[in-house]
């Protein structure tokens, strides 16, 4: 590939979304490209479908744990039915719990744009963004929560409220089923919240029986019991299921990736906190010593002005390097992401700040030697030199890429250990087990 072809390696989202041909060679444009249109939804798997992955014993354990809960009812409440990790997870968790006869119902709160603007601002503020909490914002938050409280029934034995948006529904416990267990499942990082917003939400959270966080480092001091539930991935989803070698090959051909040479990949939104420019710099340092290509697969750049700016910075950092392949993909490209991760020799996630870092979970599950920033939930997943390599700088990242590419046996061992670690801790079936254990614990407690 020569430098003039660089732009052929940057596949913009708008070309994917419109009927415009992508700026690639004409013979490629002629063929229909699978990643340009959303695929049909895939039916949810059943518990037995996981047997080949986790084994029959694990599934028997789940059924055994569920036996004592038979007939119990659970309501899950969140703020969106589609899009985002929480909805994706509930889409799997709810049918699996129901399948083991813990009748689980999923309700989504409704609200106007004003509500979702306020809750988006709360979300950012809880992640530490500056924000002036106004009386109007508080009133909007409370009014929509109250509206939803009146609309919904709360007759279940356990109510699980996900994230801050529906937190004020806790008001319903007083008048409906005072004996029910109320759980707040917090998926966000509360380690450094805006004090005004946290000060406003905290009194609601303190009325729950239990709070669940995704990492020790995301939790707050609270007067209620707290549990640690790691996020999880579904090994049967389009993103993570086993793929035929032909699918991996076809995807690489489609994106102009040379499979005869080592491939270093980072999959991430084009966001400064994911440090894609740092990845390009680390790659260029490592490549002085060892032959490799870099794939940066991301998305969201065309509907997010900041994403577009970051994408531009990445393109500038890449310059006319034909070995840097930048892919700006539409959001439905789970299968393509899966194939790219599987095609990779090494996966990088050089984040500067991170939530849990599901891309790391996905890479480890695929047995990939992974180099990642020691931030957020990544150290829960990467035990340095055992399940992957943790880095703190561009130079460190370059060093580890070079080291792993020149020590393939060690790299392969990391990949194996990483997959085991995910199997043990971060799969959907583990998540079901955690829920069953918690439900049993709450059922047996004395108030
Ligand atoms: N992802 C994707 N397409 C992209 C970029 C990311 O599907 O272009 C997926 C990625 O595979 C992972 C999720 O988005 O499942 C990102 O989760 P993570 O926790 O790593 O980071 P976040 O974007 O939530 O900060």
């Amino acid at each position: 590939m020569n430098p003039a072809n660089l732009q052929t390696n940057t596949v913009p989202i708008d070309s994917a979304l419109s009927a415009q041909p992508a700026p690639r060679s004409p013979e490629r444009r002629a063929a229909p490209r699978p990643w340009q249109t959303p695929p049909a939804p895939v039916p949810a798997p059943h518990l037995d479908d996981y047997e080949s992955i986790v084994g029959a014993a694990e599934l028997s354990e789940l059924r055994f744990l569920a036996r004592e809960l038979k007939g119990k009812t659970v309501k899950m409440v969140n703020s969106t039915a589609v899009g985002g990790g929480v909805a994706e997870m509930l889409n799997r968790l709810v049918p699996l719990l129901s399948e083991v006869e813990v009748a689980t119902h999923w309700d989504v709160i409704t609200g106007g744009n004003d509500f979702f603007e306020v809750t988006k601002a709360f979300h950012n503020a809880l992640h530490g963004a500056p924000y002036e909490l106004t009386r109007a914002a508080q009133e909007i938050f409370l009014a929509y929560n109250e509206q939803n409280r009146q609309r919904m029934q709360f007759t279940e034995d356990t109510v699980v409220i996900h994230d801050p948006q529906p937190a004020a529904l806790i008001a319903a416990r007083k008048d409906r089923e005072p004996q029910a267990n109320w759980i707040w499942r917090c998926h966000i990082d509360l380690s450094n919240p805006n004090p005004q917003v946290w000060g406003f939400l905290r009194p609601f959270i303190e009325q729950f029986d239990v709070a669940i966080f995704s990492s020790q480092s995301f939790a707050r001091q609270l007067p209620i019991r707290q549990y640690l539930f790691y996020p999880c991935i579904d090994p049967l989803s389009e993103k993570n299921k086993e793929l035929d070698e032909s699918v991996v090959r076809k995807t690489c051909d489609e994106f102009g990736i040379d499979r005869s040479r080592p491939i270093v990949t980072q999959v991430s939104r084009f966001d400064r906190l994911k440090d894609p420019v740092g990845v390009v710099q680390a790659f260029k340092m490592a490549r002085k010593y060892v032959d490799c290509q870099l794939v940066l697969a991301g998305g969201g750049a065309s509907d997010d002005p900041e994403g577009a700016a970051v994408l531009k910075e990445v393109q500038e950092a890449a310059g006319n390097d034909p070995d840097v392949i930048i892919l700006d993909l539409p959001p439905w490209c789970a299968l393509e992401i899966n194939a790219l991760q599987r095609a990779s020799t090494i996966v990088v996630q050089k984040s500067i700040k991170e939530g849990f870092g599901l891309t790391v979970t996905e890479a480890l599950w695929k047995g990939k030697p992974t180099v990642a920033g020691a931030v957020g939930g990544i150290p829960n997943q990467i035990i340095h030199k055992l399940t992957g390599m943790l880095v703190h700088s561009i130079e460190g990242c370059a060093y580890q890429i070079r080291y792993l590419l020149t020590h393939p046996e060690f790299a392969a061992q990391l990949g194996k250990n990483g997959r085991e670690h995910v199997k043990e801790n971060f799969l959907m079936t583990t998540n079901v087990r955690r829920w069953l254990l918690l439900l049993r614990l709450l059922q047996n407690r004395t108030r």
Side-chain angles (χ1 to χ4, degrees), residues 88 239 267-269 274 297-300 329-331 333-334 337 341 349 354-360 362:
E88 206 172 295
K239 181 80 62 70
V267 173
S268 271
R269 292 177 289 110
K274 309 284 184 184
L329 299 172
C333 284
I337 300 278
Q341 287 167 329
Q349 187 57 56
E354 190 52 85
F356 187 69
L358 281 175
T359 50
V360 172
E362 291 160 9

Side-chain angles (χ1 to χ4, degrees), residues 329-362:
L329 299 172
W332 53 75
C333 284
L335 195 71
E336 286 74 14
I337 300 278
N338 186 347
L340 291 170
Q341 287 167 329
R342 288 183 190 280
S344 305
T345 319
I346 289 180
V347 171
V348 174
Q349 187 57 56
K350 210 207 132 324
S351 303
I352 294 165
K353 196 161 190 266
E354 190 52 85
F356 187 69
L358 281 175
T359 50
V360 172
T361 330
E362 291 160 9

Side-chain angles (χ1 to χ4, degrees), residues 124-125 128-132 194:
N124 293 338
Y131 177 69
E132 199 57 47
N194 173 300

Side-chain angles (χ1 to χ4, degrees), residues 45-55 92 96 234-236 429:
H46 293 283
L47 203 52
D48 282 341
D49 298 329
Y50 293 87
E51 186 173 326
S52 61
I53 296 166
V54 297
R92 292 293 199 251
L96 289 173
D234 182 359
L236 297 176
T429 40

Side-chain angles (χ1 to χ4, degrees), residues 70-347:
K70 210 162 269 186
K72 294 286 170 196
T73 53
V74 177
K75 185 202 286 297
M76 301 270 177
V77 184
N78 81 323
S79 64
T80 172
V82 283
V86 177
E88 206 172 295
M89 186 270 297
L90 288 175
N91 253 313
R92 292 293 199 251
L93 178 66
V94 169
L96 289 173
L97 285 175
S98 297
E99 198 181 322
V100 291
E101 294 180 58
V102 179
T104 306
H105 182 75
W106 175 11
D107 262 344
V108 177
I109 52 164
T110 54
N113 284 344
D114 48 351
F115 176 65
F116 290 109
E117 269 162 30
V118 166
T119 56
K120 177 83 206 246
F122 279 14
H123 177 93
N124 293 338
L126 290 170
H127 278 131
Y131 177 69
E132 199 57 47
L133 179 66
T134 61
R135 180 167 285 273
Q138 296 177 36
E139 280 167 4
I140 289 169
F141 180 85
L142 293 174
Y144 279 105
N145 266 270
E146 177 58 20
Q147 210 178 76
N148 280 286
R149 184 180 77 83
Q150 288 178 13
R151 183 179 60 82
M152 289 175 174
Q153 303 282 324
F154 292 94
T155 52
E156 291 80 1
D157 301 305
T158 303
V159 180
V160 185
I161 301 292
H162 292 261
D163 282 337
Q165 298 93 329
L169 290 179
I170 186 71
R173 88 172 304 174
K174 285 196 291 293
D175 41 42
R176 306 274 169 92
E177 277 294 325
Q179 287 311 306
N181 291 303
W182 281 70
I183 300 174
W184 188 53
R185 172 66 174 105
C186 177
H187 297 270
I188 64 180
D189 177 356
L190 281 189
S191 56
N192 183 30
N194 173 300
Q196 288 180 17
V197 175
W198 177 238
F200 170 66
L201 290 171
R202 190 185 168 111
F204 299 108
I205 306 309
E206 289 180 353
Q207 295 173 54
F208 284 82
D209 298 296
V210 163
I212 303 174
F213 290 91
S214 294
S215 166
Q216 300 89 326
S217 60
F218 295 178
R220 304 283 317 152
Q221 283 280 352
L222 286 167
I224 57 175
R225 273 179 299 166
Q226 298 183 36
Y227 293 92
L228 172 64
F229 275 33
Y230 290 124
C232 62
I233 58 167
D234 182 359
L236 297 176
S237 66
E238 292 296 282
K239 181 80 62 70
N240 296 303
K241 68 182 187 184
E242 292 294 328
L243 289 183
D244 228 53
E245 165 57 24
S246 62
V247 178
V248 178
R249 192 174 50 234
K250 200 158 153 261
T251 307
C252 289
D253 288 350
E254 180 74 20
F255 293 127
I257 299 165
D258 177 3
R259 290 201 72 201
S260 67
R261 295 166 54 214
I263 301 165
V264 178
T265 302
Q266 173 159 302
V267 173
S268 271
R269 292 177 289 110
F270 290 103
D271 181 323
R272 290 197 181 88
L273 296 178
K274 309 284 184 184
D275 200 16
V277 170
V279 176
V280 174
Q281 290 166 345
F283 163 78
K284 288 191 173 185
M285 284 179 201
R287 207 247 326 253
K288 287 187 190 147
Y289 302 95
V290 51
D291 178 44
C292 49
Q293 309 153 84
L294 175 66
V295 176
L296 283 171
S302 48
D303 53 8
D304 166 16
E306 198 178 312
V310 175
L311 174 59
K312 198 153 168 276
E313 288 163 21
V314 175
Q315 286 164 335
E316 277 162 15
N320 56 3
D321 189 331
D323 285 332
V324 180
I325 299 160
I326 302 165
L327 306 173
D328 182 14
L329 299 172
W332 53 75
C333 284
L335 195 71
E336 286 74 14
I337 300 278
N338 186 347
L340 291 170
Q341 287 167 329
R342 288 183 190 280
S344 305
T345 319
I346 289 180
V347 171

